[in-house]
Amino acid sequence: MPADFTRETLAITRGLWPLAGIDEVGRGPLAGPVVTAAVILDPERVPAGLDDSKKLPAAIREELFGEIMDKALAVSVASASATEIDRINIRQATLLAMRRAVSALPLAPLHVLVDGNDPPLLSCGCEAIIQGDGQVASIAAASIVAKVTRDRMMARLCRRFPAYGFSAHVGYATPQHRRAIAEHGPCPEHRYSFAPVKGVWSRQ
């Protein structure tokens, strides 16, 4: 079943509005940033078919991305770079990107719903929901925005560093990607704290 607006409706009845959903994309790749999005949906204009971005074909994600950007009350996207990931670790970088996304919202939320079980520390209330990106409409919308945005970022990086094929695997550890690293060494957008780069190359 697609994600629905039940949690948000309950929050509205409890006075917890505006409410934002947040999600991240890119914790696991060997290259590129971790990207987070925060979305406050319009209760009167919730796009149909919202779901965990990983379950959706790319064409549907793109269509829903446009609809979310058109209909949501507020959307923000933030990231933490590969350099930041190397410096503070992927967990802390993800939490940092989440805080950045919430802070960048043009409409300040009273409450936030986040996918997973590791919520960031925020000045407003925050609730973590395991597999929330497949259950909660606002989190699903954030998942889609973050995924489409990161995929586009990796396509731009592919033009800068064509040897790695970033547009095909968006930085994940595919055999193609590992072969490219072995042949060319890592580029500045790789995560030097992740194997197979860790302990072999150093960031210049």
Side-chain angles (χ1 to χ4, degrees):
M1 292 292 291
D4 61 41
F5 203 69
T6 302
R7 293 266 189 158
E8 293 89 342
T9 300
L10 178 60
I12 291 171
T13 64
R14 294 166 56 197
L16 298 175
W17 192 260
L19 177 145
I22 58 175
D23 198 11
E24 55 76 24
V25 173
R27 285 181 70 116
L30 307 181
V34 60
V35 174
T36 62
V39 177
I40 300 176
L41 292 173
D42 183 343
E44 304 299 323
R45 304 175 74 207
V46 179
L50 295 174
D51 205 343
D52 175 1
S53 63
K54 298 185 292 297
K55 299 177 183 177
L56 299 171
I60 300 298
R61 283 199 303 266
E62 288 282 348
E63 182 179 331
L64 284 168
F65 175 87
E67 197 172 352
I68 294 162
M69 298 303 290
D70 178 58
K71 293 182 176 179
L73 296 177
V75 178
S76 67
V77 179
S79 64
S81 68
T83 302
E84 289 176 310
I85 291 167
D86 289 342
R87 188 173 70 246
I88 62 177
N89 76 49
I90 185 59
R91 175 180 178 268
Q92 293 301 329
T94 300
L95 295 173
L96 173 62
M98 287 181 174
R99 291 193 296 270
R100 286 171 173 169
V102 173
S103 297
L105 281 168
L107 179 63
L110 288 181
H111 197 67
V112 167
L113 301 178
V114 57
D115 182 52
N117 59 2
D118 191 17
L121 290 175
L122 301 171
S123 58
C124 63
C126 185
E127 179 183 356
I129 301 172
I130 295 174
Q131 297 183 341
D133 51 3
Q135 303 175 40
V136 181
S138 297
I139 300 176
S143 171
I144 291 164
V145 171
K147 172 64 174 168
V148 171
T149 300
R150 188 177 188 278
D151 284 357
R152 293 177 180 180
M153 293 170 73
M154 296 307 293
R156 290 194 294 271
L157 286 179
C158 192
R159 293 193 289 272
R160 286 178 56 199
F161 305 102
Y164 302 98
F166 288 143
S167 60
H169 52 66
V170 296
Y172 283 90
T174 63
Q176 172 200 3
H177 190 188
R178 287 178 175 272
R179 285 194 300 269
I181 294 172
E183 181 177 353
H184 303 286
C187 76
E189 298 298 329
H190 279 96
R191 301 175 183 181
Y192 285 69
S193 56
F194 282 34
V197 177
K198 182 179 180 180
V200 180
W201 289 275
S202 298
R203 187 179 292 281
Q204 300 301 313

